[in-house]
Amino acid sequence: MTETNSQTTAMKGTVAVVGSLNMDLVVRVPRLPVAGETLAGHTFDQVPGGKGGNQAVAAARLGARVAMIGRVGADGNGASLRAGLQAEGIDCAALDTSEAAPTGVALISVDEEGRNSIVIVAGSNGELTPADIARHEAVLASANVIVCQLETPPDTVLAALKTGRRLGKTVILNPAPVIGPLPSDWLPLVDYLIPNEVEAAALTGLPIGSPAQAADAAQVLRRQGVRNVLITLGASGVLAALESGPTHFEAPRVTAVDTTAAGDTFIGAFAAQRAGGVAVDSAIRFAQRAAALSVTRPGAQPSIPTLSELT
Ligand code: ADP
């Protein structure tokens, strides 16, 4: 891949996202309900979400051609999610429809202090199989960068990682959500592992309260075979442990309004930049600018910026 240090001269690369699509059903409540309680909520919104969908939208708005490999149900939510991706210019030829399972949903309650409780029902996301990955191998073959998360079945993620490695693609894994270490045979398949600090702590069992501690955790993951580790640290930026060594990238200072989808924006932006041949450090800085802008605005997908807002 030809590299350039200038974001503005990035070529249009292709990103394939293998992952989840959910309809987020968001209620605003005076406080989170306790067991057995019925509460009157303030508002109800239906918003397209899922880590896969959010990252695909971010990559598309930030300059990449994007193809989505995933599953929705044969229902209204599925049709609406598909239409939303298509409106972003995302290729949905490999977005299959499950007949039996409903489209994935996330039931999200947000209280007046901004705290949330979330229940996710995987639905059709749970029906994405290794056979689907094999059937859509041409989509992976035509991408420069492949992005996976952990909201689809582990066997399917592993199949996507293996296919990406075999095809010589740049493979990004956002290990989210994660509750413990990844299987040891996964890590050598990954070019860029991008956890947030909670996920990095779960992967390594190490505390992550500072960039120095993040560097220690990242080194542990690199020794397990991942080529590069980018730990996102919210307002404290990104700790990048690259093949060339560890570097702490400070985040731009902004007034955060809603940090939902900050990580998804960072990952989609980084993938788009790498697919376009941009050097790693420039891609990280660009992705941080995109994520910082997203936290100044409310919502998940609505907060993700476009390329024209960043140039
Ligand atoms: P996640 O959304 O997965 O929890 P983070 O909160 O670590 O991910 O955010 C991802 C990236 O978004 C950070 O590395 C940073 O670049 C940017 N970001 C997040 N919160 C802020 C903030 N308050 N100010 C500036 N940038 C932020």
Side-chain angles (χ1 to χ4, degrees), residues 2 5 37 53 58 105 131 148 175 212 216 306:
T2 312
N5 282 317
E37 186 176 20
V105 288
C148 304
D216 291 342
T306 58

Side-chain angles (χ1 to χ4, degrees), residues 214-215 218-219 222 227-231 239-247:
Q219 272 316 110
R222 288 206 62 234
R227 289 194 168 78
N228 304 283
V229 181
L230 310 183
I231 302 180
L239 187 287
L242 308 175
E243 285 172 298
S244 53
T247 309

Side-chain angles (χ1 to χ4, degrees), residues 174 196-197 199 231-238 251-254 256 259-264 266 287-289 291-292 295:
N174 169 221
N196 66 17
E197 45 199 327
E199 291 145 7
I231 302 180
T232 64
L233 305 168
S236 299
V238 172
R253 281 177 191 275
V254 294
T259 61
T260 313
D264 292 337
F266 179 87
Q288 284 190 301
R289 287 202 293 129
V295 307

Side-chain angles (χ1 to χ4, degrees), residues 151-242:
E151 286 186 334
T152 49
D155 287 359
T156 308
V157 179
L158 180 60
L161 300 179
K162 280 184 173 164
T163 308
R165 165 64 64 240
R166 174 166 52 76
L167 296 171
K169 305 300 178 181
T170 296
V171 176
I172 296 176
L173 176 63
N174 169 221
V178 74
I179 49 169
L182 290 173
S184 59
D185 57 333
W186 286 39
L187 297 174
L189 302 170
V190 177
D191 292 293
Y192 294 95
L193 185 73
I194 313 186
N196 66 17
E197 45 199 327
V198 174
E199 291 145 7
L203 289 171
T204 59
L206 295 171
I208 304 195
S210 66
Q213 286 181 326
D216 291 342
Q219 272 316 110
V220 168
L221 292 164
R222 288 206 62 234
R223 265 187 246 117
Q224 292 170 2
V226 186
R227 289 194 168 78
N228 304 283
V229 181
L230 310 183
I231 302 180
T232 64
L233 305 168
S236 299
V238 172
L239 187 287
L242 308 175

